[in-house]
Amino acid sequence: MAGGVGSRFWPKSRNHFPKQFIDILGLGKSLLQLTYERFLQICPNEQIYILTNESYADLVKEQLPDILTSNILLEPSRNNTAPCIAYASYKIAKINPAANIVVAPSDHLILKEEVFLAKINEALTFSSQHDALLTLGITPTRPDTGYGYIKYQDGSIKYLEKNSEDSEVKKVTAFMEKPSLENAQKYVVSSDYVWNAGIFIWSANSIIKAFQKYVPEISDLFEKGISYYNTEKETDFINSNYPSSQNISIDYAILEKADNVYTIPADIGWSDLGTWASLHHVVDKDEDGNASSCQHIHLQNTNDCLIQLPAGKAAVIKGLSDYIVVDDGKVLLIYPKSDEQEIKAVAGKMVADFGVDYQ
């Protein structure tokens, strides 16, 4: 899934060039490219599909030149995650009704890739054997109030993978919205909660049955296109029908209602990189806790700051503590890290006051 606008990374992430296409980690590759390369270790290129807004088609082709054009699924409107997952699921099921599917955001960080790949393969084995909807649950490292949580049963379901020891899958009992700090602290202490990372594993058959049962208005819409998927008429069908699909997340549409949801807890060095502060948390920092992307910088009495400047730009900073400093060439943002939840609203105010160039 690569269609989001990443508004909390404003001003570097904009409508015309959102977070997933940015080399935000300074590795020479965008988050989309890193995600694509990660999944090449799971399945071949021709079995990887990119779901994105139609306005990003050229960006996807530029950054992933090896991806098949037919595997770039273009959304004519932003209707949240349930419709885009339904679209991909019906398209894939027409090719292979027995397919297993991994759904993953394109803009997340995973530091422990070997563990991640092992957990995904474990989940694929389970989903191929059971009518199940799986999530990869992230073992919490702190009582974070910015993530949703998943509660699972103490007991586990054991199954035998080929040529391996018993593996364990947990039965999900509840999805919890972003909690208060007090509740988040309780969740971490209890050890039977995981973060909801939005990474899902299921068979095409299982997820389509779930759409039919819990959101028939979505399944009815996309089932009308079965004769068009993977033909030259697919684009016209999607452009005509997709905008009228229900605007709803997969969590609300299905996962919070279904009784066959499971999770595999995983410590994979994960971050959704949803905010500047979350980026600051994972990147390398100097002895004063500053993370800077520029080579020519002079800091005095400055600590715990995230500083991102255009290539070739120097900076002299004195007396800042716990700040975000981002210059994208058009906009300079200097903002307290503790108030970063305001940035999305600030970006909207800039657009309202000064025009869409700041969107």
Side-chain angles (χ1 to χ4, degrees), residues 272-324:
D272 69 345
L273 296 179
T275 62
W276 286 114
S278 65
L279 176 63
H280 181 262
H281 182 74
V282 299
V283 296
D284 293 335
K285 294 173 275 290
D286 64 19
E287 63 274 12
D288 294 315
N290 299 305
S292 171
S293 66
C294 48
Q295 294 182 333
H296 302 134
I297 188 166
H298 181 72
L299 303 177
Q300 296 182 57
N301 300 327
T302 294
N303 57 81
D304 297 320
C305 290
L306 178 70
I307 303 161
Q308 291 214 354
L309 307 178
K313 194 161 193 175
V316 178
I317 299 174
K318 180 178 180 179
L320 282 187
S321 178
D322 204 39
Y323 263 73
I324 301 161

Side-chain angles (χ1 to χ4, degrees), residues 2-288:
V5 296
S7 56
R8 287 179 174 80
F9 268 91
W10 188 88
K12 200 156 189 177
S13 177
R14 305 273 197 80
N15 275 5
H16 70 282
F17 201 80
K19 182 180 71 164
Q20 60 269 26
F21 300 107
I22 298 172
D23 175 19
I24 208 155
L25 297 170
L27 299 175
K29 297 177 181 178
S30 71
L31 295 173
L32 173 64
Q33 290 169 319
L34 292 171
T35 304
Y36 171 74
E37 291 178 0
R38 187 178 303 129
F39 278 97
L40 282 176
Q41 301 175 75
I42 296 290
C43 62
N45 170 67
E46 60 268 21
Q47 292 179 11
I48 295 178
Y49 293 79
I50 309 296
L51 290 125
T52 191
N53 188 270
E54 60 185 7
S55 59
Y56 304 142
D58 290 340
L59 278 174
V60 172
K61 292 174 184 176
E62 178 185 338
Q63 295 201 354
L64 303 179
D66 294 334
I67 200 78
L68 301 177
T69 300
S70 59
N71 286 18
I72 303 174
L73 279 59
L74 301 178
E75 305 160 82
S77 60
R78 289 188 170 93
N79 290 27
N80 217 314
T81 54
C84 79
I85 290 172
Y87 173 22
S89 299
Y90 278 98
K91 179 180 173 70
I92 291 169
K94 186 178 178 183
I95 299 170
N96 178 10
N100 273 321
I101 298 173
V102 181
V103 179
S106 62
D107 56 358
H108 289 187
L109 172 69
I110 294 172
L111 296 174
K112 301 178 183 179
E113 287 211 348
E114 289 187 6
V115 178
F116 170 79
L117 297 173
K119 294 293 184 180
I120 291 293
N121 281 312
E122 182 180 334
L124 287 168
T125 298
F126 189 82
S127 65
S128 69
Q129 299 172 359
H130 302 82
D131 178 17
L133 309 175
L134 280 86
T135 74
L136 205 61
I138 307 302
T139 306
T141 57
R142 60 189 181 277
D144 201 300
T145 60
Y147 299 143
Y149 287 70
I150 300 169
K151 188 178 189 303
Y152 59 81
Q153 289 179 354
D154 291 337
S156 60
I157 297 168
K158 291 190 176 182
Y159 64 99
L160 187 63
E161 286 188 15
K162 294 179 181 178
N163 305 317
S164 74
E165 297 179 355
D166 282 357
S167 300
E168 294 185 348
V169 175
K170 306 287 188 180
K171 183 75 167 64
V172 170
T173 58
F175 281 77
M176 325 297 290
E177 297 301 317
K178 296 176 183 178
S180 65
L181 179 58
E182 181 182 1
N183 283 336
Q185 290 169 337
K186 292 178 181 177
Y187 295 165
V188 173
V189 170
S190 74
S191 75
D192 55 358
Y193 290 82
V194 287
W195 287 335
N196 182 5
I199 301 171
F200 309 115
I201 307 95
W202 41 54
S203 69
N205 182 55
S206 290
I207 191 60
I208 286 174
K209 279 176 26 181
F211 273 111
Q212 292 169 338
K213 181 175 181 178
Y214 298 108
V215 272
E217 57 270 41
I218 290 181
S219 65
D220 289 348
L221 186 152
F222 287 99
E223 281 173 7
K224 290 192 301 183
I226 287 175
S227 62
Y228 304 125
Y229 298 133
N230 309 306
T231 74
E232 60 184 14
K233 296 181 179 180
E234 178 180 326
T235 299
D236 286 343
F237 170 80
I238 290 299
N239 288 341
S240 298
N241 291 275
Y242 193 99
S244 63
S245 62
Q246 187 178 0
N247 188 329
I248 188 171
S249 73
I250 194 70
D251 298 56
Y252 283 125
I254 291 175
L255 296 175
E256 294 185 6
K257 303 172 184 175
D259 58 5
N260 61 336
V261 182
Y262 300 84
T263 190
I264 297 180
D267 177 8
I268 56 174
W270 172 88
S271 172
D272 69 345
L273 296 179
T275 62
W276 286 114
S278 65
L279 176 63
H280 181 262
H281 182 74
V282 299
V283 296
D284 293 335
K285 294 173 275 290
D286 64 19
E287 63 274 12
D288 294 315

Side-chain angles (χ1 to χ4, degrees), residues 8 335-349:
R8 287 179 174 80
Y335 220 82
K337 192 136 48 72
S338 59
D339 295 332
E340 71 168 344
Q341 295 299 328
E342 301 171 359
I343 290 176
K344 184 176 181 179
V346 168
K349 185 75 163 55

